[in-house]
Coordinates of all heavy atoms in Angstrom, one line a residue:
R28 N -4.5 -9.2 24.1 CA -3.2 -8.9 24.6 C -2.7 -10.0 25.6 O -3.4 -10.4 26.5 CB -3.3 -7.6 25.4 CG -3.7 -6.4 24.5 CD -3.3 -5.1 25.1 NE -3.3 -5.1 26.6 CZ -2.9 -4.0 27.3 NH1 -2.4 -3.0 26.7 NH2 -2.9 -4.1 28.6
E30 N -0.4 -9.7 27.7 CA -0.2 -9.2 29.0 C -1.3 -9.3 30.0 O -1.2 -9.2 31.2 CB 0.2 -7.7 28.9 CG 1.4 -7.3 28.2 CD 1.2 -7.2 26.7 OE1 0.2 -7.7 26.2 OE2 2.1 -6.7 26.0
A212 N -1.7 8.7 37.0 CA -1.6 7.3 36.5 C -2.2 6.4 37.6 O -2.2 6.7 38.8 CB -0.1 6.9 36.3
Q236 N 9.0 4.7 33.3 CA 8.9 4.4 31.9 C 10.3 4.3 31.2 O 10.4 4.0 30.1 CB 8.2 5.6 31.1 CG 6.8 5.8 31.5 CD 6.2 7.1 30.9 OE1 5.5 7.8 31.6 NE2 6.4 7.3 29.6
V263 N 4.2 -1.8 35.4 CA 4.1 -0.4 35.7 C 2.6 0.0 35.3 O 2.2 -0.2 34.1 CB 5.1 0.5 34.9 CG1 4.9 2.0 35.1 CG2 6.5 0.1 35.4
G264 N 1.9 0.6 36.2 CA 0.5 0.9 36.0 C 0.3 2.3 35.4 O -0.3 3.1 36.0
G265 N 0.8 2.5 34.2 CA 0.5 3.7 33.5 C 1.5 4.8 33.9 O 2.2 4.7 35.0
G266 N 1.7 5.8 33.0 CA 2.6 6.8 33.3 C 2.2 8.1 32.6 O 2.3 9.2 33.2
F267 N 1.7 8.0 31.3 CA 1.3 9.1 30.6 C 2.3 10.2 30.5 O 2.0 11.4 30.5 CB 0.0 9.7 31.1 CG -1.1 8.6 31.3 CD1 -1.5 8.2 32.5 CD2 -1.6 8.0 30.1 CE1 -2.4 7.2 32.7 CE2 -2.5 6.9 30.3 CZ -2.9 6.6 31.5
G268 N 3.6 9.8 30.5 CA 4.7 10.8 30.5 C 5.2 11.2 31.8 O 6.4 11.5 32.0
S269 N 4.4 11.0 32.9 CA 4.9 11.4 34.2 C 6.0 10.5 34.7 O 6.7 10.9 35.6 CB 3.7 11.5 35.2 OG 3.3 10.2 35.5
L271 N 8.3 9.3 32.6 CA 9.4 9.7 31.7 C 10.2 10.7 32.5 O 10.2 11.9 32.2 CB 8.9 10.2 30.4 CG 9.9 11.1 29.5 CD1 11.2 10.5 29.3 CD2 9.2 11.5 28.2
A379 N 6.7 16.2 30.7 CA 6.0 15.5 29.7 C 4.6 14.9 30.2 O 4.6 14.3 31.2 CB 6.8 14.3 29.1
Y380 N 3.6 15.2 29.5 CA 2.3 14.6 29.8 C 1.6 14.4 28.4 O 1.6 15.2 27.5 CB 1.4 15.6 30.6 CG 0.0 15.0 30.9 CD1 -0.1 13.8 31.6 CD2 -1.1 15.7 30.5 CE1 -1.4 13.3 31.8 CE2 -2.4 15.2 30.7 CZ -2.5 14.0 31.4 OH -3.8 13.5 31.6
R381 N 1.1 13.2 28.3 CA 0.6 12.6 27.0 C 0.4 13.7 25.9 O -0.5 14.5 26.0 CB -0.7 11.9 27.3 CG -1.0 10.9 26.2 CD -2.2 10.0 26.6 NE -2.3 8.8 25.7 CZ -3.1 7.8 26.0 NH1 -3.9 7.8 27.0 NH2 -3.1 6.8 25.1
G382 N 1.2 13.6 24.9 CA 1.2 14.5 23.8 C 2.3 15.5 23.8 O 2.8 15.9 22.8
A383 N 2.6 16.0 25.1 CA 3.8 16.8 25.3 C 4.1 17.8 24.2 O 4.9 17.6 23.4 CB 5.0 15.9 25.6
R385 N 2.4 18.7 21.7 CA 1.6 18.6 20.5 C 0.1 18.8 20.7 O -0.5 19.5 19.9 CB 1.9 17.3 19.8 CG 3.3 17.2 19.2 CD 3.9 15.9 19.2 NE 4.3 15.4 20.6 CZ 4.4 14.2 20.9 NH1 4.2 13.2 20.1 NH2 4.8 13.9 22.2
E477 N 0.6 15.1 14.1 CA 1.5 15.1 15.2 C 2.8 14.5 14.7 O 2.9 13.8 13.7 CB 1.1 14.4 16.4 CG 0.8 13.0 16.2 CD 1.3 12.1 17.4 OE1 2.3 12.6 18.0 OE2 0.7 11.1 17.7
C479 N 5.7 12.1 15.9 CA 6.1 11.2 16.9 C 7.1 10.2 16.4 O 7.7 10.4 15.3 CB 4.8 10.5 17.5 SG 4.0 9.4 16.4
G480 N 7.4 9.2 17.2 CA 8.4 8.3 16.8 C 9.8 8.9 17.2 O 10.7 8.9 16.4
T516 N 12.4 -1.1 24.6 CA 11.2 -0.3 25.0 C 10.7 -0.7 26.3 O 11.0 -1.8 26.8 CB 10.0 -0.4 23.9 OG1 9.6 -1.8 23.9 CG2 10.5 0.0 22.5
T517 N 9.9 0.1 27.0 CA 9.4 -0.1 28.4 C 7.9 0.1 28.4 O 7.5 1.1 28.8 CB 10.2 0.8 29.3 OG1 11.6 0.7 29.2 CG2 9.8 0.5 30.8
P518 N 7.2 -0.9 28.0 CA 5.7 -0.7 28.0 C 5.2 -0.6 29.4 O 5.7 -1.2 30.4 CB 5.2 -2.0 27.4 CG 6.3 -3.0 27.6 CD 7.6 -2.3 27.6
H519 N 4.1 0.2 29.5 CA 3.5 0.4 30.8 C 2.0 0.5 30.6 O 1.3 1.4 31.2 CB 4.0 1.6 31.6 CG 4.2 2.8 30.7 ND1 5.2 3.0 29.8 CD2 3.5 3.9 30.6 CE1 5.1 4.1 29.2 NE2 4.0 4.7 29.6
G520 N 1.5 -0.3 29.7 CA 0.0 -0.3 29.3 C -0.2 -0.4 27.8 O -1.3 -0.5 27.4
Q521 N 0.9 -0.3 27.0 CA 0.7 -0.3 25.6 C 0.7 -1.6 24.8 O 0.5 -1.6 23.6 CB 1.8 0.6 25.0 CG 1.7 2.1 25.4 CD 2.5 2.4 26.7 OE1 2.9 1.4 27.4 NE2 2.6 3.6 27.1
G522 N 1.0 -2.7 25.6 CA 0.8 -4.0 24.9 C 2.0 -4.4 24.0 O 1.7 -5.1 23.0
H523 N 3.2 -4.0 24.3 CA 4.3 -4.3 23.4 C 4.5 -5.8 23.3 O 5.0 -6.3 22.2 CB 5.6 -3.6 23.9 CG 5.6 -2.1 23.8 ND1 6.6 -1.4 24.3 CD2 4.6 -1.3 23.4 CE1 6.3 -0.1 24.1 NE2 5.1 0.0 23.6
E524 N 4.3 -6.5 24.3 CA 4.6 -8.0 24.3 C 3.7 -8.6 23.2 O 4.2 -9.5 22.4 CB 4.3 -8.7 25.6 CG 5.3 -8.2 26.6 CD 5.0 -8.8 28.0 OE1 4.4 -9.9 28.1 OE2 5.5 -8.2 29.0
T525 N 2.5 -8.1 23.0 CA 1.6 -8.6 22.0 C 2.0 -8.1 20.6 O 2.2 -8.9 19.7 CB 0.2 -8.2 22.3 OG1 -0.1 -8.6 23.7 CG2 -0.8 -8.8 21.4
S526 N 2.2 -6.8 20.5 CA 2.6 -6.3 19.2 C 3.9 -6.8 18.7 O 4.0 -7.1 17.5 CB 2.7 -4.7 19.3 OG 1.4 -4.2 19.7
W527 N 4.9 -6.9 19.5 CA 6.2 -7.3 19.0 C 6.1 -8.8 18.6 O 6.7 -9.2 17.7 CB 7.3 -7.1 20.1 CG 7.7 -5.7 20.5 CD1 8.7 -5.4 21.4 CD2 7.1 -4.5 20.2 NE1 8.8 -4.1 21.6 CE2 7.9 -3.4 20.8 CE3 6.1 -4.1 19.3 CZ2 7.6 -2.1 20.7 CZ3 5.8 -2.7 19.2 CH2 6.5 -1.7 19.9
Q529 N 3.5 -10.2 17.4 CA 2.9 -10.2 16.1 C 3.8 -9.9 14.9 O 3.8 -10.5 13.9 CB 1.7 -9.2 16.1 CG 0.5 -9.7 16.9 CD -0.7 -8.8 16.9 OE1 -0.9 -8.1 17.9 NE2 -1.4 -8.7 15.8
I530 N 4.7 -8.9 15.2 CA 5.6 -8.6 14.1 C 6.6 -9.7 13.8 O 6.8 -10.1 12.7 CB 6.5 -7.3 14.6 CG1 5.6 -6.1 14.7 CG2 7.6 -7.1 13.6 CD1 6.2 -4.9 15.3
D557 N 13.7 3.3 25.8 CA 12.5 3.3 26.5 C 11.2 3.9 25.8 O 11.3 4.0 24.6 CB 12.7 4.1 27.8 CG 13.9 3.5 28.6 OD1 13.9 2.3 28.8 OD2 14.7 4.2 29.1
T558 N 10.2 4.1 26.5 CA 8.9 4.4 25.9 C 8.3 5.7 26.3 O 8.0 6.0 27.5 CB 7.9 3.2 26.3 OG1 8.3 2.0 25.6 CG2 6.5 3.5 26.0
Y559 N 8.1 6.5 25.3 CA 7.5 7.9 25.4 C 7.4 8.4 23.9 O 7.9 7.7 23.0 CB 8.4 8.8 26.2 CG 9.8 8.8 25.9 CD1 10.4 9.5 24.8 CD2 10.7 7.9 26.5 CE1 11.7 9.4 24.5 CE2 12.0 7.8 26.2 CZ 12.5 8.6 25.2 OH 13.8 8.4 24.8
G560 N 6.7 9.5 23.7 CA 6.7 10.1 22.4 C 6.2 9.2 21.3 O 6.6 9.3 20.2
S561 N 5.3 8.3 21.7 CA 4.7 7.3 20.7 C 5.8 6.8 19.8 O 5.7 6.8 18.5 CB 3.6 7.9 19.9 OG 2.6 8.3 20.8
R562 N 6.9 6.4 20.4 CA 8.1 6.0 19.6 C 8.3 4.5 19.6 O 9.1 4.0 18.8 CB 9.4 6.6 20.3 CG 9.7 6.0 21.7 CD 10.9 6.7 22.3 NE 12.1 6.7 21.5 CZ 13.0 5.7 21.5 NH1 12.8 4.7 22.2 NH2 14.0 5.8 20.7
S563 N 7.6 3.8 20.4 CA 7.9 2.4 20.6 C 7.7 1.6 19.3 O 8.6 0.8 18.9 CB 7.2 1.8 21.8 OG 7.5 2.5 22.9
L564 N 6.6 1.8 18.7 CA 6.4 1.0 17.4 C 7.3 1.5 16.3 O 8.0 0.8 15.7 CB 4.9 0.9 17.0 CG 4.7 0.2 15.7 CD1 5.2 -1.2 15.7 CD2 3.2 0.3 15.3
P565 N 7.2 2.8 16.0 CA 7.9 3.3 14.8 C 9.4 3.2 15.0 O 10.2 3.3 14.0 CB 7.5 4.8 14.6 CG 6.6 5.1 15.8 CD 6.3 3.9 16.5
V566 N 10.0 3.1 16.2 CA 11.4 2.9 16.3 C 11.7 1.5 16.9 O 12.4 0.7 16.2 CB 12.0 4.0 17.3 CG1 13.5 4.0 17.2 CG2 11.5 5.4 16.9
G568 N 9.6 -1.1 17.5 CA 9.0 -2.2 16.8 C 9.6 -2.4 15.4 O 9.8 -3.6 14.9
D678 N -5.3 8.0 11.4 CA -4.4 7.3 10.4 C -3.0 7.2 11.0 O -2.3 8.2 11.1 CB -4.3 8.1 9.1 CG -3.7 7.3 7.9 OD1 -2.7 6.6 8.2 OD2 -4.1 7.5 6.8
C679 N -2.7 6.0 11.4 CA -1.4 5.8 12.0 C -0.6 4.8 11.1 O 0.2 3.9 11.6 CB -1.4 5.3 13.5 SG -2.4 3.8 13.7
G680 N -0.8 4.9 9.8 CA -0.2 4.0 8.9 C -0.7 2.6 9.0 O -1.8 2.4 9.4
V681 N 0.2 1.7 8.8 CA -0.2 0.3 8.9 C -0.4 0.0 10.4 O 0.4 0.4 11.2 CB 1.0 -0.6 8.4 CG1 0.7 -2.1 8.6 CG2 1.1 -0.4 6.9
Q682 N -1.4 -0.8 10.7 CA -1.7 -1.1 12.1 C -1.2 -2.5 12.4 O -1.6 -3.4 11.7 CB -3.2 -1.0 12.4 CG -3.7 0.4 12.2 CD -5.1 0.6 12.7 OE1 -5.7 -0.3 13.3 NE2 -5.7 1.8 12.5
I683 N -0.5 -2.7 13.5 CA 0.0 -4.0 13.8 C -1.2 -4.8 14.5 O -1.5 -5.9 14.2 CB 1.2 -3.9 14.8 CG1 2.4 -3.1 14.2 CG2 1.7 -5.3 15.2 CD1 2.9 -3.7 12.9
N684 N -1.8 -4.1 15.5 CA -2.9 -4.7 16.2 C -4.1 -3.7 16.3 O -4.0 -2.8 17.2 CB -2.5 -5.2 17.5 CG -3.6 -6.0 18.2 OD1 -4.8 -5.6 18.1 ND2 -3.3 -7.0 19.0
P685 N -5.1 -3.7 15.4 CA -6.1 -2.7 15.4 C -6.8 -2.6 16.8 O -7.3 -1.5 17.1 CB -7.1 -3.2 14.3 CG -6.3 -4.1 13.5 CD -5.2 -4.7 14.3
M686 N -6.9 -3.7 17.5 CA -7.6 -3.6 18.8 C -6.8 -2.8 19.8 O -7.3 -2.0 20.5 CB -7.8 -5.0 19.4 CG -8.7 -5.1 20.6 SD -8.7 -6.7 21.3 CE -7.0 -6.8 21.8
I687 N -5.5 -3.0 19.8 CA -4.6 -2.1 20.7 C -4.7 -0.7 20.2 O -4.8 0.2 21.0 CB -3.2 -2.7 20.7 CG1 -3.1 -4.0 21.3 CG2 -2.2 -1.7 21.4 CD1 -1.7 -4.6 21.4
V688 N -4.7 -0.5 18.9 CA -4.8 0.9 18.4 C -6.1 1.6 18.9 O -6.0 2.7 19.4 CB -4.7 0.9 16.8 CG1 -5.1 2.3 16.3 CG2 -3.3 0.5 16.3
G690 N -7.8 0.8 21.5 CA -7.7 1.0 22.9 C -6.9 2.3 23.2 O -7.3 3.1 24.1
Q691 N -5.8 2.5 22.5 CA -5.0 3.7 22.7 C -5.8 4.9 22.3 O -5.8 5.9 23.0 CB -3.7 3.6 21.8 CG -2.7 2.6 22.3 CD -2.1 3.0 23.6 OE1 -1.8 4.2 23.9 NE2 -2.0 2.1 24.6
G694 N -8.5 5.6 25.2 CA -7.9 6.2 26.4 C -7.5 7.7 26.1 O -7.6 8.6 26.9
G695 N -6.9 7.8 24.9 CA -6.4 9.2 24.5 C -7.5 10.2 24.4 O -7.4 11.3 24.9
Q698 N -8.7 11.2 27.8 CA -7.7 12.1 28.5 C -7.7 13.5 27.9 O -7.6 14.5 28.6 CB -6.3 11.5 28.3 CG -5.5 11.6 29.6 CD -4.4 10.6 29.6 OE1 -4.3 9.7 28.8 NE2 -3.5 10.7 30.6
G750 N 5.9 0.6 7.5 CA 4.9 1.6 7.1 C 4.1 2.2 8.3 O 3.0 2.6 8.1
V751 N 4.6 2.0 9.5 CA 3.8 2.4 10.7 C 4.1 3.8 11.2 O 5.2 4.4 11.0 CB 4.1 1.4 11.9 CG1 3.7 0.0 11.5 CG2 5.6 1.4 12.2
K752 N 3.1 4.3 11.9 CA 3.3 5.6 12.7 C 2.7 5.3 14.1 O 1.9 4.3 14.3 CB 2.5 6.7 12.0 CG 2.8 6.9 10.6 CD 2.0 8.1 10.0 CE 2.3 8.3 8.5 NZ 1.7 9.5 8.0
G753 N 3.1 6.1 15.0 CA 2.6 5.9 16.4 C 1.2 6.3 16.6 O 0.6 7.0 15.8
I754 N 0.6 5.8 17.7 CA -0.8 6.1 18.0 C -1.1 6.5 19.5 O -2.1 6.9 19.9 CB -1.8 5.0 17.6 CG1 -3.2 5.4 17.5 CG2 -1.6 3.8 18.5 CD1 -3.6 6.4 16.5
G755 N 0.0 6.3 20.3 CA -0.2 6.4 21.7 C -0.7 7.7 22.3 O -1.3 7.8 23.4
E756 N -0.5 8.8 21.5 CA -0.9 10.1 22.0 C -2.0 10.8 21.2 O -2.5 11.8 21.5 CB 0.3 11.0 22.1 CG 1.4 10.6 23.1 CD 2.8 11.1 22.7 OE1 3.3 10.7 21.7 OE2 3.3 11.9 23.5
Ligands
MCN1 N1 0.2 0.2 17.4 C1 -0.2 -0.6 16.4 N2 -0.1 0.0 15.1 C2 0.2 1.3 14.9 C3 0.6 2.1 16.0 C4 0.6 1.5 17.3 O1 -0.5 -1.7 16.5 N3 0.2 1.8 13.7 C5 0.4 -0.4 18.8 C6 1.8 -0.6 19.1 O2 2.3 -1.8 18.6 C7 1.8 -0.5 20.7 C8 0.7 0.5 20.9 O3 -0.1 0.6 19.8 O4 1.4 -1.8 21.2 C9 1.3 1.9 21.2 O5 2.3 2.1 20.3 P1 3.0 3.6 20.1 O6 2.1 4.5 19.4 O7 4.4 3.3 19.4 O8 3.2 4.2 21.5 P2 4.2 3.7 22.7 O9 4.1 2.3 22.8 O10 5.6 4.4 22.5 O11 3.5 4.4 23.9 C10 3.8 5.6 24.4 C11 2.5 6.4 24.4 C12 2.6 7.6 25.2 S1 3.8 8.7 24.7 C13 1.8 7.9 26.3 S2 2.0 9.3 27.2 C14 0.9 6.9 26.7 C15 0.5 6.0 25.6 O12 1.4 5.6 24.9 N4 0.8 6.5 28.0 C16 0.0 5.4 28.3 N5 -0.5 5.1 25.9 C17 -0.7 4.7 27.2 N6 -1.5 3.6 27.5 C18 -1.6 3.2 28.8 N7 -2.3 2.1 29.0 N8 -0.9 3.8 29.8 C19 -0.1 4.9 29.6 O13 0.5 5.5 30.6

Side-chain angles (χ1 to χ4, degrees):
R28 298 198 332 169
E30 296 84 345
Q236 294 173 224
V263 175
F267 309 112
S269 69
L271 155 55
Y380 178 59
R381 203 168 193 172
R385 290 150 290 157
E477 62 138 329
C479 68
T516 64
T517 305
H519 45 283
Q521 295 87 351
H523 295 176
E524 291 175 26
T525 308
S526 298
W527 295 185
Q529 287 180 253
I530 292 169
D557 305 314
T558 288
Y559 46 87
S561 304
R562 68 185 304 273
S563 300
L564 176 59
V566 192
D678 191 322
C679 56
V681 173
Q682 300 191 0
I683 303 301
N684 185 324
M686 191 189 61
I687 293 182
V688 167
Q691 287 293 317
Q698 221 155 352
V751 294
K752 304 180 180 189
I754 195 66
E756 296 157 292

